Amino acid sequence: TWGKKGFMAGCVWVCANLCAIFAVNNCGIATAQGVWAGGICIVSFFWGWLGQPLWADTCHLSNLGLAIGGLLFLVIGISLVTFFTRPVNKRTTIATNDVEKNNEYALAKDNNDEHLKMIQRNRFKGLLFALGCGVCAGSVLVPLKFSHTEGFEAVFSFGTGVLFTSILWFIIAHAFVSNRSELSLHFKQVSPYCLTSGLLWNVGNICSILATQSSLGLTIAYPIMQNAMVISGCIGIVVFKEIEGIDRILGFGFSILVISAGAFLLGSYAVCE
């Protein structure tokens, strides 16, 4: 069946995905996923908690104090992720009387400082997009809570919203980019990767719809799903080498554990009848 609320959910989902793409491109998959996962937990929790009277959710908090503690864990975990993944200026010192070598070192140092500033600017933009992803993705299934559709009944209307919004954003991007340069699509090069990524994400998305519309509700199900950041964090470290140094890797791992603990607290102290 088709419904407006499922369509709206699909539109919000595309916006969350766009934010995710820009976040990963600017600050890496490990950092971006850690930030938006914590943000999703917080936003979806508040939607589930504050929206109970609106959609008659059967879930309620059995211990508000521990749930607030879970929220604090999430905020602290996100802050630690940004701290341990911050860019580091790798400088080398040269003690020599050779004027030419000192001049070369000074030039290299200036270039390194400028490069670090560029990384920091891009990282800041990436963090903003990651937070935007957290807000949108944490709200994406809220329209479905107001609808009377359940499970796979919402998939068709959700998919039409995704298709419409994707085409709309493509038109906007084409109009914006064409003013400066040609928009290259690179179908042959990117199609296998994009299709695989889309398939994996949509399978996970269908599972999220089924989970949030089950007896678990939005309050429990969505925070638990965000433990996917453990997988993406490992990929960012092992495959893409986004975080280097044993101290920083261990610190990032600890940050993920803190966020996971926060998600666990939110899920454990919500009771569904």
Side-chain angles (χ1 to χ4, degrees), residues 9-40:
C11 296
V12 177
W13 184 80
V14 172
C15 294
N17 277 268
L18 284 175
C19 288
I21 292 172
F22 287 117
V24 171
N25 287 342
N26 283 280
C27 64
I29 187 173
T31 304
Q33 176 85 50
V35 172
W36 82 51
I40 289 173

Side-chain angles (χ1 to χ4, degrees), residues 39-53 55 61 64 67-68 71-72 74-75 138 142 218-219 223 266:
I40 289 173
C41 291
I42 295 172
V43 173
S44 62
F45 173 80
F46 275 106
W47 273 119
W49 180 29
L50 300 177
Q52 287 177 7
W55 50 66
L61 294 174
L64 180 60
I68 293 175
L71 292 175
L72 291 177
L74 291 170
V75 173
V142 171
L218 192 67
T219 309
L266 291 186

Side-chain angles (χ1 to χ4, degrees), residues 15-16 92 94 110 128 186 214 242 265:
C15 294
T92 56
I94 299 178
D110 291 339
L128 290 180
H186 304 290
S214 69
E242 293 176 351
L265 285 174

Side-chain angles (χ1 to χ4, degrees), residues 1 40 64 121 128 148 177 203 234-235:
T1 58
I40 289 173
L64 180 60
R121 288 194 296 268
L128 290 180
H148 299 291
V177 175
V203 169
C234 292
I235 293 174

Side-chain angles (χ1 to χ4, degrees), residues 20-134:
I21 292 172
F22 287 117
V24 171
N25 287 342
N26 283 280
C27 64
I29 187 173
T31 304
Q33 176 85 50
V35 172
W36 82 51
I40 289 173
C41 291
I42 295 172
V43 173
S44 62
F45 173 80
F46 275 106
W47 273 119
W49 180 29
L50 300 177
Q52 287 177 7
L54 300 177
W55 50 66
D57 203 333
T58 57
C59 298
H60 63 275
L61 294 174
S62 63
N63 192 318
L64 180 60
L66 288 176
I68 293 175
L71 292 175
L72 291 177
F73 267 68
L74 291 170
V75 173
I76 293 171
I78 293 173
S79 301
L80 289 174
V81 165
T82 60
F83 175 77
F84 286 112
T85 59
R86 71 194 188 283
V88 178
N89 194 354
K90 298 178 180 179
R91 297 181 177 180
T92 56
T93 58
I94 299 178
T96 177
N97 292 325
D98 191 323
V99 176
E100 184 177 351
K101 287 186 178 181
N102 283 333
N103 289 337
E104 290 177 357
Y105 169 70
L107 180 60
K109 177 179 177 296
D110 291 339
N111 291 336
N112 191 38
D113 289 343
E114 186 63 30
H115 180 66
L116 179 64
K117 290 179 181 178
M118 182 186 68
I119 292 176
Q120 290 174 336
R121 288 194 296 268
N122 290 338
R123 184 172 182 271
F124 179 73
K125 290 189 294 184
L127 291 175
L128 290 180
F129 279 116
L131 290 174
C133 176

Side-chain angles (χ1 to χ4, degrees), residues 220-238:
I220 300 177
Y222 223 51
I224 293 176
M225 295 175 202
Q226 303 318 309
N227 285 300
M229 63 188 165
V230 177
I231 305 299
S232 62
C234 292
I235 293 174
I237 294 171
V238 176

